[in-house]
């Protein structure tokens, strides 16, 4: 047992981490934090595998199968949680009502009015507005102008002949912090 412990934990658990890295290479989208979480999980699996090991096969193969199964189970659990969260999310640009001209974002009250900030009388710095508008694409500028003229989402999509996704993308750019930060 001591020989096995030393083999896996020598040089800061290099061999154990190598096995985990080899297993994780089959999965994508992992952060450093995820990798460290799996290293911790591997320590737990190693301890349990060492207790259950019966010498019927090489320990390396036994440990690899234990680690692979545990990591695969954990990845499935994490992905299931992500899918649950995705099903619960709503888009602010989701149409509400029967005529689809009103979006969820239109129904939310907010003290910040981008249209008033850009085109309203309260604007005291036209250079900020010019900088803001220069950051926007031509489509985004058209959408801003139509919003300022009190057109609804469905009307704007029809007038510009764009899909709901294209409209949502334009709004995302219009409302992005990178763009509106010049107004502050």
């Amino acid at each position: 047992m001591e020989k096995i412990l030393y083999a896996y934990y020598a040089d800061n658990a290099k061999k154990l981490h190598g096995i985990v890295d080899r297993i994780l290479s089959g999965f994508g989208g992992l952060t450093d934090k995820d990798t460290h979480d799996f290293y911790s999980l591997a320590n737990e699996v190693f301890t349990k595998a060492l207790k259950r090991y019966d010498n019927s096969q090489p320990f390396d193969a036994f440990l690899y199968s234990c680690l692979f199964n545990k990591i695969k189970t954990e990845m499935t659990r994490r992905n299931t949680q992500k899918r649950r969260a995705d099903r619960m999310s709503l888009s602010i640009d989701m149409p509400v009502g029967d005529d689809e001209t009103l979006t969820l974002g239109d129904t939310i009250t907010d003290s910040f009015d981008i249209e008033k900030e850009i085109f309203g009388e309260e604007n005291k710095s036209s250079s900020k507005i010019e900088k803001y508008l220069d950051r926007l694409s031509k489509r985004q500028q058209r959408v801003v102008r139509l919003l300022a003229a009190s057109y609804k989402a469905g009307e704007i999509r029809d007038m510009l002949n764009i899909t709901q996704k294209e409209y949502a993308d334009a709004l995302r750019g219009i409302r992005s912090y990178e763009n509106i930060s010049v107004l502050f």
Side-chain angles (χ1 to χ4, degrees):
M1 293 287 184
E2 197 171 304
K3 188 177 177 182
I4 292 174
L5 271 170
Y6 180 76
Y8 281 92
Y9 282 93
D11 196 19
N12 201 19
K14 186 175 182 178
K15 186 172 181 178
L16 185 62
H17 289 184
I19 294 171
V20 171
D21 290 339
R22 191 168 59 230
I23 294 169
L24 291 179
S25 69
F27 299 96
L30 295 174
T31 65
D32 287 341
K33 183 192 176 308
D34 292 326
T35 303
H36 289 289
D37 288 347
F38 284 108
Y39 289 159
S40 295
L41 183 67
N43 289 325
E44 294 172 26
V45 171
F46 179 84
T47 304
K48 290 177 182 175
L50 198 56
K51 289 177 184 175
R52 290 185 11 223
Y53 181 59
D54 63 4
N55 290 323
S56 63
Q57 63 179 319
F59 183 75
D60 291 350
F62 178 69
L63 178 62
Y64 184 89
S65 67
C66 292
L67 284 170
F68 183 84
N69 290 334
K70 186 66 172 182
I71 288 172
K72 185 177 176 187
T73 300
E74 177 61 16
M75 285 297 224
T76 301
R77 186 189 69 75
R78 288 180 179 202
N79 288 333
T80 301
Q81 283 179 327
K82 287 179 189 174
R83 282 192 300 277
R84 275 190 204 128
D86 286 346
R87 276 186 256 141
M88 299 299 289
S89 61
L90 297 171
S91 169
I92 196 162
D93 299 312
M94 181 179 82
V96 292
D98 295 332
D99 60 0
E100 292 190 6
T101 59
L102 191 65
T103 67
L104 186 58
D106 294 332
T107 64
I108 298 172
T109 4
D110 186 5
S111 62
F112 182 76
D113 186 351
I114 195 166
E115 292 82 15
K116 193 180 283 184
E117 185 70 26
I118 295 170
F119 299 106
E121 296 171 23
E122 293 145 25
N123 179 23
K124 294 184 174 77
S125 176
S126 61
S127 66
K128 285 182 179 182
I129 293 172
E130 289 173 19
K131 283 181 187 177
Y132 169 75
L133 290 172
D134 286 342
R135 289 176 176 233
L136 301 180
S137 69
K138 296 293 182 203
R139 175 178 287 160
Q140 290 167 343
Q141 289 176 12
R142 283 184 236 132
V143 169
V144 165
R145 286 187 173 87
L146 291 170
L147 285 170
S150 299
Y151 285 98
K152 300 291 183 198
E155 296 170 321
I156 294 171
R157 288 193 309 265
D158 290 343
M159 292 170 75
L160 298 180
N161 195 26
I162 58 176
T163 66
Q164 181 163 343
K165 183 187 180 322
E166 290 170 324
Y167 176 77
D169 289 344
L171 282 181
R172 196 172 301 112
I174 290 166
R175 296 173 178 163
S176 75
Y177 179 78
E178 179 184 331
N179 287 334
I180 65 170
S181 62
V182 297
L183 297 172
F184 303 126

